[in-house]
Amino acid sequence: EPEVTQTPSHQVTQMGQEVILRCVPISNHLYFYWYRQILGQKVEFLVSFYNNEISEKSEIFDDQFSVERPDGSNFTLKIRSTKLEDSAMYFCASKGHPNSIEQYFGPGTRLTVT
Amino acid sequence: DAKTTQPNSMESNEEEPVHLPCNHSTISGTDYIHWYRQLPSQGPEYVIHGLTSNVNNRMASLAIAEDRKSSTLILHRATLRDAAVYYCIPEKPRGNEKLTFGTGTRLTIIP
């Protein structure tokens, strides 16, 4: 069964450093998402991406965040200058086509900012 | 976004049916009712969705009230693997809709 993959599974970085979280969505999917979950809290929407541009972003997704689909298979989330409060699980998700309902989530990347 | 209310936690014995309720009294007429679950240390996983009629799939059944202000996810025979946090999420389908997760119901299965 096709699945969304994410790398790395765990990233440790120092405050102020840039990190890039990588996702490989399911092949032929058209819609891509990033969510995050701070330990013990809700899963929060960050951004959706379709047709090579951002469709919607949340208040969390400020100028420090960016997304890219560099090569037709990867979907990346970059945090330019990490803060302690960016420590969280980051989940990538993808969806097939406009009429499909199900979002497929990856296993997540645990980001720890020290 | 429609507001949802779910019990914080529920327990069930293994191999018994589980009924997980959700109130979504502010749901709009075009919102689908999605259910996702999150197993420990994993990403969310789609379970089922519906609009008005009751729905069945290999994982679960979804019973939707006639006024659509509440729904119930039914696991017919819970296994230990069904221990997870279950979320109901009303959302309008518009292609790139985001999912707004609440706190969900933490389901514990007792062996």
Side-chain angles (χ1 to χ4, degrees), chain B residues 2-3 22-33 50-54 63-72 90:
Chain B
K3 187 172 162 52
C22 180
N23 285 321
H24 30 77
S25 57
T26 60
I27 193 169
S28 80
T30 52
D31 284 352
Y32 278 77
I33 301 155
L51 184 60
T52 55
S53 305
N54 295 344
I64 301 172
E66 201 169 323
D67 63 6
R68 296 198 348 112
K69 293 186 177 183
S70 65
S71 60
T72 302

Short mmCIF file of all heavy atoms in Angstrom, two decimals, chain B residues 2-3 22-33 50-54 63-72 90:
data_model
loop_
_atom_site.label_atom_id
_atom_site.label_comp_id
_atom_site.label_asym_id
_atom_site.label_seq_id
_atom_site.Cartn_x
_atom_site.Cartn_y
_atom_site.Cartn_z
N ALA B 2 -16.84 24.23 12.31
CA ALA B 2 -17.82 23.77 13.28
C ALA B 2 -17.11 23.33 14.56
O ALA B 2 -16.07 22.70 14.51
CB ALA B 2 -18.61 22.61 12.70
N LYS B 3 -17.73 23.67 15.69
CA LYS B 3 -17.15 23.27 16.98
C LYS B 3 -17.59 21.85 17.29
O LYS B 3 -18.74 21.48 17.04
CB LYS B 3 -17.67 24.23 18.06
CG LYS B 3 -17.05 24.05 19.41
CD LYS B 3 -17.50 25.18 20.34
CE LYS B 3 -17.29 24.85 21.79
NZ LYS B 3 -15.94 24.42 22.11
N CYS B 22 -19.79 12.12 19.09
CA CYS B 22 -19.29 13.45 18.79
C CYS B 22 -20.48 14.38 18.57
O CYS B 22 -21.38 14.04 17.80
CB CYS B 22 -18.40 13.42 17.54
SG CYS B 22 -17.72 15.04 17.10
N ASN B 23 -20.46 15.51 19.25
CA ASN B 23 -21.47 16.54 19.00
C ASN B 23 -20.86 17.62 18.12
O ASN B 23 -19.76 18.10 18.38
CB ASN B 23 -21.95 17.15 20.31
CG ASN B 23 -22.90 16.22 21.03
OD1 ASN B 23 -23.72 15.55 20.43
ND2 ASN B 23 -22.76 16.14 22.34
N HIS B 24 -21.58 17.98 17.07
CA HIS B 24 -21.12 19.05 16.17
C HIS B 24 -22.34 19.86 15.80
O HIS B 24 -22.77 19.90 14.63
CB HIS B 24 -20.39 18.50 14.94
CG HIS B 24 -20.85 17.14 14.49
ND1 HIS B 24 -22.03 16.94 13.79
CD2 HIS B 24 -20.28 15.93 14.64
CE1 HIS B 24 -22.16 15.65 13.54
NE2 HIS B 24 -21.11 15.01 14.04
N SER B 25 -22.92 20.54 16.78
CA SER B 25 -24.21 21.20 16.61
C SER B 25 -24.14 22.39 15.66
O SER B 25 -25.17 22.82 15.15
CB SER B 25 -24.77 21.65 17.96
OG SER B 25 -23.85 22.49 18.61
N THR B 26 -22.94 22.94 15.41
CA THR B 26 -22.85 24.11 14.51
C THR B 26 -22.42 23.70 13.11
O THR B 26 -22.01 24.54 12.31
CB THR B 26 -21.84 25.13 15.08
OG1 THR B 26 -20.56 24.51 15.18
CG2 THR B 26 -22.29 25.65 16.44
N ILE B 27 -22.55 22.43 12.79
CA ILE B 27 -22.12 21.94 11.48
C ILE B 27 -22.95 22.61 10.37
O ILE B 27 -24.14 22.88 10.53
CB ILE B 27 -22.27 20.40 11.42
CG1 ILE B 27 -21.54 19.83 10.21
CG2 ILE B 27 -23.74 19.98 11.45
CD1 ILE B 27 -21.42 18.31 10.23
N SER B 28 -22.29 22.92 9.27
CA SER B 28 -23.03 23.52 8.16
C SER B 28 -23.52 22.41 7.22
O SER B 28 -23.07 21.27 7.28
CB SER B 28 -22.14 24.50 7.39
OG SER B 28 -21.30 23.81 6.51
N GLY B 29 -24.46 22.77 6.37
CA GLY B 29 -25.11 21.77 5.53
C GLY B 29 -24.19 21.05 4.57
O GLY B 29 -24.49 19.93 4.15
N THR B 30 -23.07 21.67 4.24
CA THR B 30 -22.17 21.05 3.26
C THR B 30 -20.94 20.41 3.89
O THR B 30 -20.09 19.88 3.19
CB THR B 30 -21.71 22.09 2.23
OG1 THR B 30 -21.18 23.22 2.93
CG2 THR B 30 -22.87 22.54 1.36
N ASP B 31 -20.84 20.48 5.21
CA ASP B 31 -19.68 19.86 5.87
C ASP B 31 -19.82 18.34 5.86
O ASP B 31 -20.86 17.79 6.24
CB ASP B 31 -19.60 20.29 7.34
CG ASP B 31 -19.07 21.69 7.53
OD1 ASP B 31 -18.62 22.30 6.54
OD2 ASP B 31 -19.11 22.18 8.68
N TYR B 32 -18.76 17.67 5.47
CA TYR B 32 -18.66 16.24 5.71
C TYR B 32 -18.19 16.03 7.15
O TYR B 32 -17.54 16.90 7.73
CB TYR B 32 -17.63 15.61 4.77
CG TYR B 32 -18.16 15.31 3.40
CD1 TYR B 32 -18.33 16.30 2.45
CD2 TYR B 32 -18.49 14.00 3.04
CE1 TYR B 32 -18.82 16.02 1.19
CE2 TYR B 32 -18.97 13.71 1.78
CZ TYR B 32 -19.13 14.73 0.86
OH TYR B 32 -19.61 14.45 -0.38
N ILE B 33 -18.52 14.88 7.69
CA ILE B 33 -18.03 14.51 9.02
C ILE B 33 -16.92 13.48 8.81
O ILE B 33 -17.16 12.39 8.31
CB ILE B 33 -19.16 13.92 9.88
CG1 ILE B 33 -20.28 14.94 10.04
CG2 ILE B 33 -18.62 13.50 11.25
CD1 ILE B 33 -21.63 14.33 10.33
N GLY B 50 -18.64 10.76 6.35
CA GLY B 50 -20.01 10.70 5.86
C GLY B 50 -20.62 12.09 5.76
O GLY B 50 -20.08 13.05 6.31
N LEU B 51 -21.76 12.15 5.09
CA LEU B 51 -22.45 13.43 4.94
C LEU B 51 -23.81 13.38 5.64
O LEU B 51 -24.06 14.14 6.56
CB LEU B 51 -22.63 13.76 3.46
CG LEU B 51 -23.26 15.12 3.13
CD1 LEU B 51 -22.42 16.25 3.69
CD2 LEU B 51 -23.46 15.27 1.63
N THR B 52 -24.67 12.46 5.22
CA THR B 52 -25.99 12.34 5.84
C THR B 52 -26.32 10.89 6.21
O THR B 52 -26.84 10.62 7.28
CB THR B 52 -27.09 12.85 4.90
OG1 THR B 52 -26.98 12.16 3.65
CG2 THR B 52 -26.98 14.34 4.66
N SER B 53 -25.99 9.98 5.32
CA SER B 53 -26.36 8.58 5.56
C SER B 53 -25.30 7.88 6.40
O SER B 53 -24.14 8.27 6.41
CB SER B 53 -26.45 7.84 4.22
OG SER B 53 -27.34 8.49 3.35
N ASN B 54 -25.74 6.83 7.07
CA ASN B 54 -24.78 6.00 7.80
C ASN B 54 -23.84 5.32 6.80
O ASN B 54 -24.21 5.04 5.66
CB ASN B 54 -25.52 4.96 8.63
CG ASN B 54 -26.36 5.60 9.73
OD1 ASN B 54 -26.17 6.77 10.06
ND2 ASN B 54 -27.27 4.83 10.29
N ALA B 63 -22.50 6.40 12.28
CA ALA B 63 -23.93 6.67 12.39
C ALA B 63 -24.11 8.17 12.55
O ALA B 63 -23.53 8.76 13.46
CB ALA B 63 -24.52 5.92 13.58
N ILE B 64 -24.89 8.77 11.67
CA ILE B 64 -25.08 10.23 11.68
C ILE B 64 -26.52 10.51 12.06
O ILE B 64 -27.45 9.95 11.46
CB ILE B 64 -24.76 10.82 10.29
CG1 ILE B 64 -23.31 10.49 9.92
CG2 ILE B 64 -25.00 12.32 10.28
CD1 ILE B 64 -22.94 10.85 8.49
N ALA B 65 -26.70 11.39 13.03
CA ALA B 65 -28.05 11.75 13.46
C ALA B 65 -28.80 12.43 12.32
O ALA B 65 -28.19 13.05 11.45
CB ALA B 65 -27.97 12.68 14.67
N GLU B 66 -30.10 12.33 12.38
CA GLU B 66 -30.92 12.87 11.30
C GLU B 66 -30.72 14.37 11.13
O GLU B 66 -30.70 14.89 10.01
CB GLU B 66 -32.40 12.58 11.58
CG GLU B 66 -33.28 12.62 10.35
CD GLU B 66 -34.66 12.08 10.62
OE1 GLU B 66 -34.80 11.11 11.39
OE2 GLU B 66 -35.62 12.64 10.07
N ASP B 67 -30.53 15.08 12.24
CA ASP B 67 -30.30 16.54 12.17
C ASP B 67 -28.83 16.88 11.95
O ASP B 67 -28.46 18.06 11.91
CB ASP B 67 -30.83 17.24 13.43
CG ASP B 67 -30.12 16.81 14.69
OD1 ASP B 67 -29.13 16.05 14.59
OD2 ASP B 67 -30.53 17.23 15.78
N ARG B 68 -27.99 15.87 11.87
CA ARG B 68 -26.54 16.01 11.62
C ARG B 68 -25.79 16.74 12.72
O ARG B 68 -24.65 17.09 12.55
CB ARG B 68 -26.29 16.69 10.28
CG ARG B 68 -26.77 15.91 9.12
CD ARG B 68 -26.21 16.26 7.75
NE ARG B 68 -25.47 17.48 7.64
CZ ARG B 68 -24.17 17.52 7.39
NH1 ARG B 68 -23.46 16.42 7.27
NH2 ARG B 68 -23.56 18.69 7.27
N LYS B 69 -26.41 16.93 13.84
CA LYS B 69 -25.73 17.66 14.92
C LYS B 69 -24.88 16.74 15.77
O LYS B 69 -24.19 17.20 16.70
CB LYS B 69 -26.75 18.41 15.77
CG LYS B 69 -27.42 19.53 15.00
CD LYS B 69 -28.33 20.37 15.85
CE LYS B 69 -28.89 21.50 15.00
NZ LYS B 69 -29.74 22.41 15.75
N SER B 70 -24.94 15.47 15.51
CA SER B 70 -24.08 14.53 16.23
C SER B 70 -23.83 13.31 15.35
O SER B 70 -24.56 13.06 14.39
CB SER B 70 -24.71 14.10 17.55
OG SER B 70 -25.88 13.36 17.31
N SER B 71 -22.77 12.61 15.70
CA SER B 71 -22.47 11.37 15.00
C SER B 71 -21.79 10.42 15.97
O SER B 71 -21.30 10.84 17.04
CB SER B 71 -21.57 11.61 13.77
OG SER B 71 -20.34 12.20 14.13
N THR B 72 -21.79 9.15 15.62
CA THR B 72 -21.17 8.14 16.47
C THR B 72 -20.32 7.22 15.61
O THR B 72 -20.80 6.68 14.60
CB THR B 72 -22.24 7.29 17.19
OG1 THR B 72 -23.07 8.16 17.97
CG2 THR B 72 -21.60 6.25 18.10
N PRO B 90 -15.69 17.99 11.37
CA PRO B 90 -16.56 18.46 10.28
C PRO B 90 -15.77 19.41 9.39
O PRO B 90 -15.06 20.28 9.90
CB PRO B 90 -17.67 19.22 11.02
CG PRO B 90 -17.50 18.89 12.47
CD PRO B 90 -16.06 18.54 12.66
#
